[in-house]
Amino acid sequence: MLLCLYEIVDHCDRRWIVHLQGAKDIIRLRRQQQQRQADALLALPTVPSDPVSKFVELFFAFQDVMGRTACAKADLFGPSYWAEGDVTINDWMGCSPALVSILFAIMDLSRHRRHMVSSASEELTFRARASNLQRRLDDLVQSPAVGGEDETLRRVAELKRLACSVYIQCALHGARPCDPAVKVTVQEILAGLSALVAQGSASQAMMWPLFVAAVELDPLDDVVVENPSRSMEAENSGRRRLVLRLLMEMAKRSVSSVARMRAVIEGVWQRRDFHLHAVEDRKMGLFADLNDWEVFVVPGSDALSLV
């Protein structure tokens, strides 16, 4: 885990993925050993009971899921870590396992869409599954653990749910930054992040919602974000400038590679600016065509850590 974190902070390139793959193999071998021991004792197999093992496995699995939302590659650790019905907010993740379960399903379905043929029956199946995920996300209510009424944690979890809403619209429904629903949600995310930073509550848990909001900014709508006078953008700066200021604040408090995240975001902005007229004139193509996220976000996002 320390080697993985070191590579994330140092360069945040494919070297940390090598450690992630190594961790997967170690965890697999450890579970096989536990299974053999359980069989020898004629007992039911159990998951690791000590909190350190649980945290380490969760750390790698969470890194895997969040990073692969950007690059759209297949996961390494699978969905078994994320209980669909567990809505308790994890202090370290900044969201509930139920939200990660939905996010994982969105990633999996998005990959299925890219490889499916353009048949009416498969498209109907896809849309039904996408609608079910959207309903699960809309109905999700995350809550802190019993006795842990942390309002900041609750707000971060809600911002991640909003970011997931943007992600599902772009990854499954073909939404673009110019769509009204995306624009409104992106503005809400940036306003919420700005308020948290203004009160000194910046943390690495804010990286993913900031990334999603930043890469889905409308290049034609880089205008003032309306917010209270205490907010960071009270100087009437644009949204891109606000994102850069938020990144600067997070770099002071996070051990993650904010510099790599900023480089990826700026690359997305450059691609959007370069293809601005083409995007404006582009008509909706075949159902299996690349969507906005795959065209502008996926390139350059390989091995990006968003935790």
Side-chain angles (χ1 to χ4, degrees), residues 1 5 54-63 66 82 89-95 153 156 160 203-206 255 307:
M1 186 172 74
L5 282 173
K54 287 183 178 180
F55 172 77
V56 170
E57 291 192 20
L58 196 67
F59 169 84
F60 287 116
F62 192 59
Q63 284 278 5
M66 304 310 289
W82 318 116
I89 302 172
N90 181 289
D91 292 350
W92 171 72
M93 296 193 306
C95 64
L153 185 62
V156 169
K160 286 197 170 185
S203 70
Q204 85 283 349
M206 295 165 49
V255 297
V307 176

Side-chain angles (χ1 to χ4, degrees), residues 141-185:
V141 178
Q142 304 176 94
S143 58
V146 177
E149 296 300 323
D150 188 336
E151 183 59 29
T152 297
L153 185 62
R154 190 191 300 271
R155 290 164 65 185
V156 169
E158 176 59 16
L159 289 174
K160 286 197 170 185
R161 192 191 69 82
L162 291 173
C164 192
S165 177
V166 173
Y167 181 67
I168 192 174
Q169 289 296 321
C170 297
L172 299 186
H173 300 296
R176 297 181 293 173
C178 60
D179 293 343
V182 173
K183 293 173 70 170
V184 169
T185 309

Side-chain angles (χ1 to χ4, degrees), residues 81-275:
Y81 294 91
W82 318 116
E84 181 178 333
D86 187 355
V87 298
T88 302
I89 302 172
N90 181 289
D91 292 350
W92 171 72
M93 296 193 306
C95 64
S96 66
L99 180 64
V100 185
S101 171
I102 296 171
L103 186 58
F104 188 97
I106 295 170
M107 292 167 48
D108 186 58
L109 186 56
S110 179
R111 286 193 299 272
H112 177 70
R113 182 195 64 80
R114 291 198 302 272
H115 296 97
M116 68 189 301
V117 297
S118 298
S119 69
S121 60
E122 286 183 322
E123 182 173 344
L124 287 174
T125 300
F126 173 88
R127 295 195 184 281
R129 292 175 61 187
S131 297
N132 179 58
L133 287 173
Q134 185 69 61
R135 184 169 57 254
R136 284 174 55 191
L137 181 61
D138 293 340
D139 294 342
L140 178 64
V141 178
Q142 304 176 94
S143 58
V146 177
E149 296 300 323
D150 188 336
E151 183 59 29
T152 297
L153 185 62
R154 190 191 300 271
R155 290 164 65 185
V156 169
E158 176 59 16
L159 289 174
K160 286 197 170 185
R161 192 191 69 82
L162 291 173
C164 192
S165 177
V166 173
Y167 181 67
I168 192 174
Q169 289 296 321
C170 297
L172 299 186
H173 300 296
R176 297 181 293 173
C178 60
D179 293 343
V182 173
K183 293 173 70 170
V184 169
T185 309
V186 164
Q187 178 171 337
E188 187 175 355
I189 293 170
L190 290 178
L193 291 172
S194 180
L196 287 173
V197 170
Q199 68 182 32
S201 300
S203 70
Q204 85 283 349
M206 295 165 49
M207 289 190 65
W208 189 69
L210 178 57
F211 176 80
V212 173
V215 298
E216 289 301 327
L217 283 175
D218 187 351
L220 292 177
D221 195 30
D222 191 25
V223 295
V224 178
V225 179
E226 184 179 353
N227 228 331
S229 58
R230 293 179 58 190
S231 65
M232 293 179 57
E233 67 277 14
E235 300 175 358
N236 293 338
S237 57
R239 292 181 182 177
R240 288 186 177 182
R241 185 176 178 183
L242 170 60
V243 168
L244 296 178
R245 296 181 67 184
L246 289 171
L247 286 169
M248 289 176 59
E249 290 298 320
M250 291 180 62
K252 301 175 184 177
R253 300 171 172 86
S254 175
V255 297
S256 300
S257 182
V258 177
R260 171 76 200 288
M261 177 174 156
R262 173 172 175 162
V264 172
I265 290 172
E266 290 177 340
V268 174
W269 291 348
Q270 290 172 0
R271 285 188 288 275
R272 290 199 185 281
D273 291 344
F274 183 77
H275 294 284

Side-chain angles (χ1 to χ4, degrees), residues 4-12 16 63 255-257 305:
C4 188
L5 282 173
Y6 173 80
E7 296 296 351
I8 289 173
V9 175
D10 191 31
H11 294 97
C12 198
W16 78 269
Q63 284 278 5
V255 297
S256 300
S257 182
S305 172

